[in-house]
Amino acid sequence: MPARPKFYLTTPIYYTNGLPHIGHTYTTVVADVIRRYKRMRGYEVAMTTGTDEHGINVERAAKNAGIPESEFVAKMADAWRALWDELGLPADEFIRTTDLRHVRTVQWLFKLCRENGYVYKGHYTGQYCIYDNAFVNDAKPGDNCPDCGRPTETLTEENYFFKLSAFQKPLLDFYKKNPEFIQPETRKNEIVSFVEGGLKDLSITRTTVRWGIPVPGEEPHVFYVWFDALTAYLSAVGGPDYEKRGFWPADLHLVGKDIIRFHSVYWPAFLMAAMLPLPKQVWAHGWFLMDASKMSKSKGNVVLPRPIANMLGMDALRYFLLREVVFGQDGNFSYDALVTRYNSDLANGLGNLASRTAAMIEKNFVGKIPKAGKLQPQDEALACETQAAIGDVLDYFDKMNFTRALESLWVVIAAADKYLTTEKPWSLGDSEADTQRKAAVLATTAELLRIVTVLAYPVLPDTAAKIWTLLGQPGSVSAVELEGLRWGQLASGVSLGKPQTLFPRLEKSEAIERIESMANEELNPTAPPAPAPAVASSTTAGAAAATSLAASEKIGIEDFAKVEMRVGQIKTAERIVGADKLLKLTVDIGTEIRQICAGIAQYYEPDSLIGRKVAVVTNLAPRKLRGVESNGMIIAASVGPEGRPVLAGFPEDVEVGARLK
Ligand code: MSP
C-alpha cells in the first residue's frame, strides 16, 4: 500500500496564565475538524497544540499562587491538556515550551541563525516598570505602566537582535510566489503593506526576564516571547531531526487575527535565516466577541466550553462555532443564538430526520433497510441534488468555508424533509405497489441520510457515529473515504441499530440558566453557592487541576484575605423575565449600591427581602446572568440534596458596609 501523504497542522500554543475559553476552543475545534476531514481524504495527519509557558506574566502568576514557576506551568499545562481530551480535541502532539525537546530546538535554531549571520548583540532601550520588573511594550517616556499605573523609566539593556530588516525583499518575493501563504486575502494585503513599509530588527533575548530558555553560554540572556513560542511548531515534530518524522514543513498554521503578523513575518524570516523549509499556509480567523468586545476574565465576559458541552453536547458547540460565523470574520457569541441553532438545526433538523427515517423503516420493514426498487422522477431528483452537494461540500471544506459547507448540508436535510412531506410514506397501505413505493421513498431518504452523515462527520463526529450505527452501516464512519463517496452505496438488508434521541429539544431559558450556572461554578470553584441554581457539573481532571491551583488543601490567611465580604442591605428585588430562578437585587454595600443577581427566586419572594442585611462578596469580577450584569455575590447556605439556598444573615444589628473577616 503506498504511503499516505502527510499533513501537519497547528493551533497556536496557548498562554498558561489562564484556562481555555470559547475563543481558544474555536481554534482547536477548527483544527480538529480539518484533521478529521484530511484523514477521510487519505492523509496521515498530525495536529499540534500546546502551551506557551515562559515570560514575565507566568513569573507573576506563579508568584501570586505562591509556587515555583515550573510547578505552576505544569499544573496549567495538565489542565489545558485534560480539557482538550475531555472535549474530544486531543492533540497528536502536545508541546510545552518547557519541554526539553523544545528548549533544544530553540537553542539550535538560534545557533543556525547566528552562524548564518542574522543575529547580533545590541542594546534595547524601552520604558521599564521597576515595580513589575518588565519592559512595557510600545510605551513612550512619561507613560505609566498599564498594569500597575505607576510611572515607567527609560532603561537600556543588552539583547540579541535578529536581522529582520534583511528579510523585507525575501519575504515579499515569497508572498508573491506563494499567493496562498497568508489567508484570508484581506489579511494578506495587510501583511504585504506592513512589510513593504520596512522592517525593523527584532530583539529576541532579554536579560531582565528570568523565566525563559537560556541562551547557551550567554546567561543571563533568555529567549524572548516569539523566538521561543513560534519554534514550538517545529519542536513538536522532531526539532533538529524533523526530517525523520516527515511532518515539517507544516501545511497549515491556524491562528487568531491578532497574531498573524508574528506567523507570517517573523516566523518565515527566522526559518529563512536558518535555511529551513517554510510552512505552506497561515490562516487567520476572527474573534468570537461577547457583547461586541473581546472576552477577558477581568471584564467578566468569558464563555467557557465545558458547561456548554455538558448541557448541549460537544457536537452542538462545534456545529455552532463553525456554522454561525464565516471563518476569518469576527462574530458575536450568544447563548440565545446557540440554543436556537441547537433546537432548529440539530434537534428539528438532522436529529428529527434521522429518528423519523429510522422509525418508519422499523415500522414498515421490520427494521431492515429496504432496497429502493423502482424509482420515480422525484426520487431521482433528490438523488441528483444530494450527489451534487457532495462536490460542493468537499469544495467548501477545502476552502475552509465551513459555514457554506454546513449550509449546503442543511439544504439537503431540508429537501429530505420536504420530500417526505410530499411523498407521505406513512399514508401508504400494505398492497404490493404501496410497499414498493414505501421502500423507494425510505431507501432514498436513508441513502441521503448516509451521505449527510459522512459529510457531517468532521464537524459532528459523535452524532455521525451514532447515525452510522443507527443505519446499520458497516465499519466506522470515520473510515469512509471521501474520494469514493457516491449516491447508491447504502448497504440494504441490514438491520437498524437501536434508536436513540440524538438532540433532545430544549427549553431555551432553562438551558441557558443551567449553562450559566455551571459556568459560575467553574469560574468561582471555591465560592459558596453560586447565585444561579446549582447544577452538578462533571468533575474532570482539567477542572480538578484548575481548582487545585486556587484551592490547594489548606489556604493561607493571605488567600482568604483576597476575598472581600461585606454586610450589604437589600434595597430592591425583582424577578427577571425568562429566568425563573434568578432575582435582580440592588444592594447597599456601604460605599455604593450594587446590582447583584441571585439564584434564590424559587425560595424567596422579592418583597420579603427588602431591607434585609446579607453577606456579600464584593470583589468578584462582574458577570452577566441571562443578560443582566451581576456585580458581586450574596452568600447563602446550600441545604439538602436540591441545594435550597438559605441566606446568611446577622442575629445582631450590624452596620452596612462592615467587612467580614
Ligand atoms: N501564546 C500566544 C501564541 C503563540 S503561537 C506560537 C498567544 N496565546 S493566547 O492564549 O493569548 O491566544 C491564543 C489564540 O487564541 C490566539 O490565536 C487568539 O487569537 C485566540 N483567541 C483568544 N481569544 C479569542 C476570541 N475571543 N475569539 C477567537 N480567538 C481568540 O497568543
Side-chain angles (χ1 to χ4, degrees):
M1 206 171 104
R4 284 175 298 150
K6 297 200 176 190
F7 190 90
Y8 177 39
L9 80 160
T10 65
T11 75
I13 50 166
Y14 301 104
Y15 287 130
T16 39
N17 46 343
L19 284 170
H21 59 57
I22 218 79
H24 310 118
T25 311
Y26 181 46
T27 325
T28 312
V29 161
V30 171
D32 182 66
V33 168
I34 298 169
R35 160 169 62 178
R36 291 176 193 270
Y37 173 70
K38 286 287 175 186
R39 285 192 177 139
M40 290 175 102
R41 300 225 66 164
Y43 287 85
E44 182 186 345
V45 187
M47 189 264 254
T48 287
T49 189
T51 39
D52 192 351
E53 302 183 2
H54 289 126
I56 195 77
N57 289 334
V58 167
E59 247 179 73
R60 277 189 204 142
K63 200 168 159 210
N64 285 341
I67 52 176
E69 288 93 349
S70 55
E71 201 180 307
F72 178 83
V73 292
K75 282 186 170 166
M76 292 303 277
D78 281 352
W80 278 81
R81 198 197 314 243
L83 184 71
W84 295 143
D85 289 351
E86 180 192 337
L87 299 180
L89 306 165
D92 299 309
E93 282 295 339
F94 190 92
I95 187 81
R96 300 179 50 192
T97 54
T98 50
D99 285 344
L100 193 57
R101 58 181 173 154
H102 175 69
V103 171
R104 290 206 179 115
T105 307
V106 172
Q107 293 174 339
W108 167 74
L109 186 71
F110 178 75
K111 188 165 155 277
L112 294 179
C113 292
R114 195 182 198 178
E115 282 169 1
N116 294 340
Y118 292 107
V119 166
Y120 63 93
K121 210 178 240 182
H123 286 92
Y124 173 83
T125 300
Q127 291 309 111
Y128 190 82
C129 174
I130 53 162
Y131 306 97
D132 291 338
N133 288 324
F135 276 102
V136 179
N137 290 334
D138 301 327
K140 295 179 296 307
D143 284 356
N144 288 340
C145 168
D147 284 337
C148 70
R150 287 178 277 198
T152 58
E153 292 178 8
T154 307
L155 191 92
T156 297
E157 70 158 11
E158 189 185 79
N159 284 176
Y160 274 100
F161 279 79
F162 176 80
K163 270 194 205 166
L164 188 62
S165 55
F167 290 93
Q168 183 184 26
K169 181 154 181 334
L171 281 170
L172 291 171
D173 289 347
F174 175 70
Y175 302 150
K176 203 173 251 162
K177 265 200 219 120
N178 301 276
E180 307 225 315
F181 175 65
I182 305 168
Q183 289 294 318
E185 203 63 17
T186 46
R187 301 278 165 224
K188 175 176 141 184
N189 300 339
E190 276 168 33
I191 295 295
V192 169
S193 40
F194 170 75
V195 176
E196 280 171 348
L199 295 173
K200 278 204 232 131
D201 290 350
L202 193 72
S203 135
I204 54 167
T205 70
R206 283 282 185 269
T207 48
T208 44
V209 176
R210 206 176 37 77
W211 179 242
I213 298 175
V215 182
E218 302 284 349
E219 292 81 6
H221 283 269
V222 298
F223 290 100
Y224 186 60
V225 188
W226 291 100
F227 196 86
D228 173 349
L230 290 160
T231 308
Y233 300 137
L234 186 52
S235 321
V237 288
D241 293 328
Y242 68 89
E243 277 169 337
K244 275 195 209 144
R245 296 276 307 272
F247 278 110
W248 192 261
D251 292 276
L252 177 63
H253 291 315
L254 287 169
V255 298
K257 62 178 184 178
D258 48 330
I259 55 174
I260 180 82
R261 190 183 289 179
F262 308 114
H263 284 77
S264 56
V265 181
Y266 295 6
W267 184 222
F270 296 158
L271 292 166
M272 280 178 186
M275 300 216 283
L276 291 168
L278 308 194
K280 295 184 192 148
Q281 194 168 62
V282 180
W283 236 105
H285 62 72
W287 285 341
F288 261 101
L289 306 171
M290 194 64 182
D291 305 323
S293 68
K294 201 172 175 224
M295 288 175 206
S296 87
K297 207 169 172 184
S298 59
K299 281 192 227 149
N301 66 351
V302 287
V303 177
L304 301 178
R306 185 186 279 122
I308 298 174
N310 285 348
M311 185 67 209
L312 307 180
M314 192 56 199
D315 276 10
L317 176 58
R318 295 166 68 104
Y319 176 79
F320 178 77
L321 292 176
L322 294 187
R323 173 68 183 78
E324 190 70 4
V325 175
V326 174
F327 193 62
Q329 295 176 10
D330 286 351
N332 244 322
F333 186 93
S334 94
Y335 287 126
D336 202 288
L338 170 72
V339 181
T340 302
R341 272 218 183 275
Y342 169 94
N343 276 333
S344 66
D345 297 12
L346 298 175
N348 296 345
L350 179 60
N352 185 39
L353 178 65
S355 57
R356 70 202 278 228
T357 307
M360 285 188 280
I361 293 175
E362 192 64 55
K363 181 158 176 253
N364 293 287
F365 297 97
V366 288
K368 290 204 167 131
I369 303 233
K371 262 206 156 52
K374 197 167 159 289
L375 296 176
Q376 294 193 359
Q378 62 273 36
D379 312 330
E380 278 162 354
L382 191 63
C384 284
E385 187 179 341
T386 312
Q387 178 65 44
I390 299 176
D392 292 347
V393 172
L394 298 187
D395 199 40
Y396 287 133
F397 269 123
D398 285 334
K399 295 190 173 124
M400 312 266 275
N401 197 336
F402 307 109
T403 307
R404 293 305 283 272
L406 293 171
E407 264 169 23
S408 304
L409 278 180
W410 259 253
V411 167
V412 173
I413 292 173
D417 281 338
K418 195 163 159 224
Y419 170 77
L420 285 174
T421 311
T422 324
E423 297 309 312
K424 294 189 181 50
W426 51 86
S427 67
L428 296 169
D430 292 329
S431 69
E432 202 175 322
D434 274 5
T435 305
Q436 273 179 17
R437 185 65 204 133
K438 274 193 278 192
V441 172
L442 293 178
T444 299
T445 315
E447 174 58 339
L448 175 146
L449 184 60
R450 180 189 72 92
I451 287 175
V452 167
T453 302
V454 172
L455 292 171
Y457 167 79
V459 180
L460 301 173
D462 294 344
T463 310
K466 284 183 194 157
I467 303 181
W468 200 250
T469 310
L470 179 68
L471 289 176
Q473 296 302 293
S476 143
V477 60
S478 62
V480 175
E481 285 182 15
L482 289 174
E483 208 65 59
L485 182 66
R486 305 264 180 289
W487 183 272
Q489 296 163 327
L490 179 75
S492 61
V494 294
S495 294
L496 294 181
K498 245 173 101 195
Q500 51 180 316
T501 310
L502 297 169
F503 299 103
R505 261 181 220 100
L506 293 173
E507 200 279 306
K508 199 199 280 176
S509 59
E510 176 85 19
I512 297 176
E513 254 174 58
R514 289 174 65 126
I515 296 171
E516 286 187 333
S517 167
M518 285 189 262
N520 281 335
E521 275 181 36
E522 201 174 318
L523 286 168
N524 303 295
T526 52
V535 175
S537 70
S538 66
T539 319
T540 63
T547 306
S548 67
L549 274 181
S552 43
E553 305 77 59
K554 294 263 192 299
I555 58 165
I557 188 75
E558 66 286 356
D559 288 321
F560 176 70
K562 285 184 199 151
V563 182
E564 189 187 77
M565 282 184 279
R566 292 190 181 275
V567 176
Q569 186 167 37
I570 299 176
K571 294 285 170 197
T572 63
E574 58 183 280
R575 297 191 182 277
I576 298 175
V577 182
D580 303 346
K581 293 171 188 155
L582 281 185
L583 287 186
K584 184 165 89 177
L585 312 173
T586 51
V587 183
D588 183 353
I589 58 161
T591 47
E592 61 185 296
I593 308 269
R594 290 276 186 88
Q595 175 170 297
I596 299 177
C597 296
I600 55 175
Q602 290 172 316
Y603 301 95
Y604 289 91
E605 273 308 314
D607 286 348
S608 71
L609 293 169
I610 313 290
R612 188 156 170 169
K613 287 187 177 166
V614 286
V616 184
V617 181
T618 49
N619 64 342
L620 272 180
R623 60 184 176 276
K624 284 207 167 154
L625 297 164
R626 307 305 319 279
V628 180
E629 180 158 306
S630 181
N631 210 339
M633 185 193 284
I634 309 286
I635 306 267
S638 178
V639 178
E642 308 232 303
R644 177 171 64 88
V646 176
L647 291 175
F650 303 93
E652 291 165 49
D653 196 26
V654 279
E655 205 177 301
V656 170
R659 179 139 187 209
L660 274 68
K661 291 185 175 174

